[in-house]
Amino acid sequence: MCKSRKYTILIGLLALLLHARASASPQKDSLPDDALIRPRFEYGMILGMALANAATANYYNGSGEYSLQDVLNQQYYYNAIRRDIGYDFSLHALPGRMHYQPAMMMGFYAGGKLGKRLGLNAACSYAKFRAQDRFTLRIDRYSSIGGDNIELFSIWGLEERVELSLSLKYHFLPHNSIQPFFAAGFSLTDTRVKENRVRIYSQTISIRNPRDRYYQLQDSGIGPGYFANLGISMQLPGQLAVSIIYRANNSRVNLGNNKQYSLQQALFLSMNLGRLLQD
């Protein structure tokens, strides 16, 4: 699914929920006390957008253990690319601005209330990120042949992240139908590399170590983090509660030799299904 369609889905869901509340809610800021009583245990779904920090994107830039130069030096790949280009060539420069595209995030959560204002939540979410940029090849054209001697080509990597989190949540206006809240806690992020490829004309080439694929070795790791959530929870008619949440997570993504913590962000909706499925 392309990035524009992901944003369209999110905006559409939000507009639908706000319209339902505006058309069916009483014209006042709070609901009766019995309508605001929630079960001590709640659970629901998460859907939103995740923004990965570019700090680890260079893992896929074709340097280090998985070298683009080593792949181009292999006679089989060199000959295949030369047939497409029509001339000899060499690697000119690796990408300098590898970055992640925003990714759709989905998952579920469960929690319990510790009082009118406090709650404890656990969540699990999944996102698949694409890191990308372009590198350049130097084409050894004859001086009499037109065309640029330096050409750009695509390079990308795909990774999956599963995040487990545990947080303490505080509601500022527990008796209102619209409740701002703050949450903070700890997370564990499991990162798995799926692919690292380049495309040169008609050739799509993996630059990962072929022995890793043959022996089915996993390139993955778990990194810790700590985060804060800011959100607004809306109690809708029909026993449905929806929250809009922004998350800032300072976590360590375990790729290669990375030991640094970096800011990962997300904007998502959570839908409380606890009361809806009870009725």
Side-chain angles (χ1 to χ4, degrees), residues 134-149:
R134 295 192 290 178
F135 67 97
T136 53
L137 294 181
R138 184 187 301 276
I139 313 300
D140 297 332
R141 291 187 175 91
Y142 301 118
S143 58
S144 59
I145 303 297
D148 293 333
N149 289 332

Side-chain angles (χ1 to χ4, degrees), residues 108-159:
F108 60 90
Y109 76 94
K113 298 195 71 177
L114 305 178
K116 290 183 178 180
R117 295 180 181 271
L118 287 179
L120 187 66
N121 275 31
C124 176
S125 62
Y126 167 87
K128 188 173 185 177
F129 291 97
R130 177 187 174 99
Q132 64 181 28
D133 198 4
R134 295 192 290 178
F135 67 97
T136 53
L137 294 181
R138 184 187 301 276
I139 313 300
D140 297 332
R141 291 187 175 91
Y142 301 118
S143 58
S144 59
I145 303 297
D148 293 333
N149 289 332
I150 306 299
E151 292 194 22
L152 289 164
F153 299 95
S154 298
I155 182 171
W156 69 90
L158 293 179
E159 68 185 53

